Amino acid sequence: MRTDYHLHTPLCGHATGEPREYVLAAQQAGLEEIGFSDHNPMPTQFDDWRMAPEQLPQYVKMIEEARREFPRYPIRLGLECDFIPAYEEHIRDLAKLADWDYLIGSVHYITPDWDVDNPKHLKRWTEQPVDQIWQAYFDAYTKMAESCLFDFLAHPDLVKKFGHRPEGDLSRFYRRTLDAIAEAGVVLEVSTAGLRKDVHEIYPSRDFLAAAHARRIPIVINSDAHAPSEVAYEFDLAYTLAREVGYTEVMRFEKRKVVVHEI
Ligand code: ZN
Ligand code: FE
Ligand code: FE
Ligand code: ZN
């Protein structure tokens, strides 16, 4: 039985649907357990795609209300946290502010002013070699793994979102990052969100995931739903990919502890 731990709420400003609608969609899709993980607040007005700091209690309350409405359905409380160097202390502070089941680490920012998945910066891809952009992304992802702040790490090769790809064998970008993930003992996300983007591919690529399996890196399979209709999006494809590269189990999360589950 399946889970989906990467679901958003309208508090981030770019997702639609109330938590109860995500729960109903999850039950419809036959999921056994779900978790919400909206974009974390930052200490300052950072960008326009996350809740404000004063909205965090409201976020927690929304999830508690969903739990009350569906008392027999496991609904976990998580947060998708941007990993940005110099904000590690902020993440440690957030970790104390609620009874989290898990914190997700994400790299969206590859420089302080470039969230690499944001279409408003698409022009920058023409101003710099693609190799350099990919390297900056995976350097940041490696640092995120080394930080040991998170329970699992989201959308591993998000940098491919718009379809930009360096030439040749891409393992030169993956190797150091995968070693750091294995060393940290952190769980890796397989995300079907990429199937909904220009790249039309699961995050991460088959090669990346096979190399993760070779290092015995555990995984969790998620949709990154920003609407109820995206809950469990194309999960058959992700589970098939995971099995094909050798995975026989996925991880579950409760109170920041990992539980192994057979697939
Ligand atoms: Zn989002
Ligand atoms: Fe993300
Ligand atoms: Fe997300
Ligand atoms: Zn995400």
Side-chain angles (χ1 to χ4, degrees):
M1 289 289 268
R2 298 171 176 181
T3 55
D4 194 346
Y5 289 118
H6 194 150
L7 311 177
H8 287 272
T9 81
L11 280 180
C12 65
H14 62 277
T16 56
E18 296 306 312
R20 66 179 313 274
E21 300 174 76
Y22 287 74
V23 175
L24 292 171
Q27 293 179 333
Q28 193 69 36
L31 301 187
E32 202 171 68
E33 178 173 317
I34 58 163
F36 288 88
S37 54
D38 214 353
H39 296 287
N40 69 302
M42 292 296 282
T44 54
Q45 171 59 49
F46 204 80
D47 50 37
D48 58 1
W49 49 267
R50 65 186 68 248
M51 69 182 86
E54 60 273 16
Q55 287 178 308
L56 190 68
Q58 189 187 340
Y59 172 59
V60 173
K61 215 176 111 208
M62 278 169 75
I63 309 312
E64 282 168 355
E65 273 164 21
R67 283 170 169 167
R68 270 196 296 279
E69 188 174 347
F70 303 91
R72 282 184 306 280
Y73 194 70
I75 301 171
R76 305 294 176 213
L77 176 65
L79 198 63
E80 180 180 9
C81 302
D82 271 83
F83 177 75
I84 302 169
Y87 285 93
E88 288 89 345
E89 219 31 59
H90 173 60
I91 305 292
R92 286 191 195 95
D93 290 342
L94 284 173
K96 294 177 215 149
L97 290 183
D99 198 5
W100 306 111
D101 290 305
Y102 54 90
L103 295 183
I104 311 181
S106 289
V107 170
H108 302 110
Y109 284 91
I110 59 166
T111 66
D113 65 346
W114 186 3
D115 34 354
V116 77
D117 59 330
N118 194 331
K120 86 176 178 204
H121 299 303
L122 264 174
K123 193 169 161 283
R124 298 207 196 180
W125 285 91
T126 64
E127 299 165 350
Q128 232 189 99
V130 171
D131 270 68
Q132 240 175 52
I133 301 169
W134 269 54
Q135 197 56 57
Y137 175 82
F138 283 103
D139 285 350
Y141 210 95
T142 303
K143 287 204 189 83
M144 171 166 74
E146 290 167 349
S147 77
C148 291
L149 289 168
F150 308 107
D151 301 292
F152 69 84
L153 306 181
H155 38 58
D157 56 359
L158 175 70
V159 68
K160 73 183 176 186
K161 174 177 175 178
F162 301 111
H164 306 91
R165 243 187 259 267
E167 302 281 321
D169 181 0
L170 298 173
S171 60
R172 66 187 190 277
F173 295 97
Y174 304 156
R175 212 170 293 126
R176 221 164 57 88
T177 299
L178 283 160
D179 288 344
I181 295 167
E183 174 75 21
V186 64
V187 177
L188 190 74
E189 179 185 69
V190 174
S191 171
T192 58
L195 295 167
R196 307 192 295 270
K197 311 300 181 191
D198 294 345
V199 68
H200 297 302
E201 196 182 279
I202 287 171
Y203 305 125
S205 67
R206 179 180 293 264
D207 287 353
F208 189 110
L209 194 61
H213 180 258
R215 288 167 173 81
R216 303 180 186 285
I217 295 169
I219 55 164
V220 57
I221 297 176
N222 295 324
S223 70
D224 203 350
H226 284 70
S229 60
E230 293 171 353
V231 174
Y233 185 80
E234 296 285 18
F235 265 16
D236 288 346
L237 292 178
Y239 278 83
T240 300
L241 174 64
R243 270 191 224 99
E244 281 174 359
V245 305
Y247 280 98
T248 57
E249 43 194 43
V250 294
M251 301 301 122
R252 293 193 175 187
F253 299 86
E254 189 173 1
K255 308 278 187 205
R256 306 209 65 184
K257 295 270 184 295
V258 178
V259 183
V260 179
H261 195 85
E262 304 261 312
I263 53 172

